[in-house]
Amino acid sequence: MAKAPVLTPRADDFPRWYQDLISKAELADNGPVRGTMVIRPYGYGLWERMQQEMDARIKEAGAQNAYFPLFIPQSYLTKEAEHVEGFAPELAVVTHAGGKELDEPVVVRPTSETIVNDYFSKWVQSYRDLPLLINQWANVVRWEMRPRVFLRTTEFLWQEGHTAHATYEDARDYAAHIHEKVYADFMVNVLGIDVVLGRKTPGERFAGAVNTLTLEAMMGDGKALQMGTSHELGQNFAKAFNTRYLSKDGREELVWQTSWGSSTRMVGGLIMSHGDDSGLRVPPRLAPVQAVVLAIKGDDAVLAKVHEIGDRLKAAGVRVQVDDRTDTPFGRRAVDWELKGVPVRVEVGPRDLENGTAMLARRIPGGKEPVAIDSLVRLLPAVLEEDQALLLTQSRERRESRTSEVSTIGEAVEAAVAGGWARIPWAVLGEEGEAELAAHAVTVRCLVAEDGSVPGSDDAPGNVAVVARAY
């Protein structure tokens, strides 16, 4: 009788496979309130590595970290009409506290444009105060009707950047810089996920923005996932909060602004982009544990050797963990590490010691081979880089092979329903066609120029709409 698989096969039920993996790899649990999640240590370790890599890029872009309150007066949200309309269905509102009804209800932070602008209006006095570049790492709450762990949760973790500039051009260029040099660089070069950089249609823009730049990735089932966004806010919030500065010419001017964010949704994207029927596959540049050294048996010489190997790899800059839990069967431990997607396992037993070798198991391409123990320090960095590159290649090849060039709305729907993406001229689709797609649960993920670059306007000649079903 065949042994039951640890995970539901992706081809049988992709959503069930996703939930199985999150549970079996000990990434997260559902929280006690519907739509919330408890992120377990291994899952949080992935998020911490994402934070570290992103934070370095954000600071390189000149932004500084700050923190703003979780509670926002409800009146703040009503100051920018599009913003409050866009977020109203998702708001969690506190009406009672300390045993009394509040004089004014407070909103649990869905995003911080309003409260940030209240303080920007105090902090910005003259052109010398600009640009003002702020980022915060925080949690936000958006009441989610159809929750899914990491992808859509009522409370999630993220970073949100908020900036004020003296000119439209400076704000526009900064939003584009975050889009390309912070987000795309991280997602491609660390997460190993191929992303399409584009411009949201007016109907898909962030509430209160004049332009939204997005990064879209194809998941293993062909659906799209929005991995991050960067918004040009124009002067909409500056007008609402009277955020002005004294120019070099002595005139009072409204600032121009941006906001941008990425979240724990990226953990879901990581799972669905790289996971397979054996579990997660973590890109080596991201992995909290790049290599695990396993003792096959509790032999004193074996235990001494695995710790020695671990120390040597750590000294060489590899993020390593030694697994000497020989009271747990080796097969179970190997499966657990495979589920967690650690890029490399170095397995050592008594026979390996006799031969001066260890078994090297590579999670990303698969397969095992014996290697000389003395060559591990030299070999592993190159192996990790090879496997990092392979994940990106696989991600790109999946998107390219499952994206169709179409010329009619019907063909676009057919491609998306079949589990792929479609590219259709925006001049053919337009806003009417976008509404027609929505009837089939298909959306325009972004607009791109003919050459694949980000277009400078919604109606630039040659704009192409990338359409798909999405999470």
Side-chain angles (χ1 to χ4, degrees):
M1 185 173 174
K3 194 166 86 169
V6 176
L7 303 175
T8 301
R10 290 178 304 160
D12 291 355
D13 188 336
F14 195 85
R16 171 53 55 192
W17 164 83
Y18 177 79
Q19 296 295 340
D20 283 356
L21 197 162
I22 287 172
S23 174
K24 298 287 179 63
E26 299 179 338
L27 299 177
D29 277 327
N30 289 311
V33 175
R34 184 178 181 276
T36 62
M37 62 177 169
V38 175
I39 306 176
R40 300 186 67 177
Y42 190 71
Y44 199 81
L46 294 172
W47 175 240
E48 283 183 310
R49 287 284 304 134
M50 292 180 182
Q51 281 184 300
Q52 290 163 18
E53 292 282 350
M54 290 278 290
D55 198 57
R57 286 165 172 78
I58 288 167
K59 286 172 178 166
E60 184 68 25
Q64 295 178 298
N65 286 337
Y67 186 78
F68 291 84
L70 175 67
F71 296 120
I72 301 172
Q74 191 173 44
S75 59
Y76 281 30
L77 270 78
T78 62
K79 289 186 178 183
E80 212 291 325
E82 285 185 33
H83 193 67
V84 69
E85 183 180 348
F87 278 101
E90 301 176 320
L91 296 180
V93 183
V94 178
T95 58
H96 290 72
K100 297 179 181 179
E101 185 172 354
L102 298 176
D103 292 335
E104 179 186 352
V106 296
V107 171
V108 183
R109 172 177 54 216
T111 181
S112 298
E113 278 76 9
T114 56
I115 194 165
V116 166
N117 266 278
D118 184 57
Y119 284 86
F120 275 16
S121 66
K122 299 173 183 177
W123 297 345
V124 175
Q125 303 297 325
S126 85
Y127 69 91
R128 297 181 186 88
D129 300 319
L130 300 173
L132 180 55
L133 314 174
I134 296 293
N135 177 65
Q136 80 165 341
W137 293 93
N139 61 336
V140 292
V141 170
R142 298 178 185 177
W143 212 256
E144 184 57 57
M145 296 296 105
R146 295 181 298 279
R148 188 172 299 183
V149 174
F150 288 121
L151 299 179
R152 288 190 176 276
T153 49
T154 293
E155 179 191 11
F156 55 91
L157 306 180
W158 77 343
Q159 59 73 213
E160 52 176 319
H162 301 275
T163 71
H165 304 260
T167 66
Y168 159 74
E169 290 80 11
D170 195 36
R172 176 201 62 198
D173 293 348
Y174 195 80
H177 180 86
I178 294 294
H179 187 220
E180 181 181 352
K181 301 300 183 184
V182 174
Y183 291 160
D185 180 73
F186 166 70
M187 291 166 192
V188 171
N189 294 315
V190 178
L191 292 187
I193 296 176
D194 175 69
V195 287
V196 172
L197 283 71
R199 181 185 183 102
K200 286 292 191 185
T201 64
E204 291 285 330
R205 265 185 213 139
F206 176 74
V210 298
N211 181 33
T212 290
L213 303 172
T214 184
L215 302 102
E216 302 287 331
M218 180 184 281
M219 302 294 98
D221 61 351
K223 287 185 178 179
L225 184 71
Q226 179 181 288
M227 298 284 286
T229 49
S230 183
H231 315 290
E232 297 173 42
L233 301 179
Q235 294 179 311
N236 290 344
F237 288 90
K239 290 173 184 173
F241 286 85
N242 198 31
T243 312
R244 298 175 179 271
Y245 73 97
L246 198 63
S247 72
K248 288 182 181 180
D249 301 329
R251 292 196 306 269
E252 272 206 339
E253 306 274 2
L254 290 167
V255 299
W256 298 83
Q257 292 183 271
T258 77
S259 68
W260 25 279
S262 60
S263 74
T264 38
R265 171 179 283 199
M266 291 190 294
V267 179
L270 175 76
I271 296 166
M272 294 194 296
S273 288
H274 297 322
D276 62 19
D277 285 347
S278 296
L280 190 57
R281 295 189 302 164
V282 181
R285 291 182 188 170
L286 177 77
V289 179
Q290 294 175 313
V292 60
V293 186
L294 287 93
I296 294 176
K297 295 197 173 179
D299 178 284
D300 287 345
V302 169
L303 293 174
K305 181 57 71 172
V306 295
H307 282 281
E308 178 194 321
I309 293 171
D311 290 342
R312 289 170 60 193
L313 291 174
K314 184 177 181 181
V318 177
R319 294 188 290 277
V320 64
Q321 183 166 329
V322 172
D323 184 346
D324 57 4
R325 301 169 297 157
T326 52
D327 54 344
T328 300
F330 168 75
R332 178 178 172 182
R333 288 183 287 138
V335 169
D336 284 346
W337 288 115
E338 192 164 58
L339 278 165
K340 286 180 164 64
V342 170
V344 167
R345 297 197 310 275
V346 178
E347 301 170 354
V348 182
R351 191 174 301 171
D352 299 300
L353 278 191
E354 290 175 12
N355 298 328
T357 62
M359 192 63 70
L360 182 66
R362 293 170 67 175
R363 178 67 183 89
I364 291 162
K368 286 186 177 186
E369 61 175 334
V371 300
I373 288 174
D374 289 343
S375 71
L376 284 169
V377 169
R378 173 183 56 80
L379 187 64
L380 249 60
V383 164
L384 293 170
E385 281 302 295
E386 281 179 21
D387 294 352
Q388 177 80 31
L390 178 60
L391 285 177
L392 179 59
T393 297
Q394 291 175 344
S395 176
R396 182 170 292 132
E397 287 177 349
R398 176 174 62 239
R399 178 182 63 81
E400 290 176 346
S401 67
R402 297 175 71 170
T403 299
S404 306
E405 299 286 341
V406 303
S407 56
T408 69
I409 295 171
E411 290 171 338
V413 170
E414 186 179 348
V417 170
W421 290 11
R423 287 166 44 95
I424 182 171
W426 179 239
V428 172
L429 186 66
E431 292 185 10
E432 287 186 11
E434 189 175 13
E436 192 174 330
L437 291 178
H440 300 276
V442 178
T443 54
V444 177
R445 303 314 307 156
C446 61
L447 301 176
V448 297
E450 282 180 297
D451 64 0
S453 62
V454 180
S457 65
D458 299 333
D459 54 1
N463 275 359
V464 175
V466 178
V467 309
R469 284 188 164 170
Y471 286 99

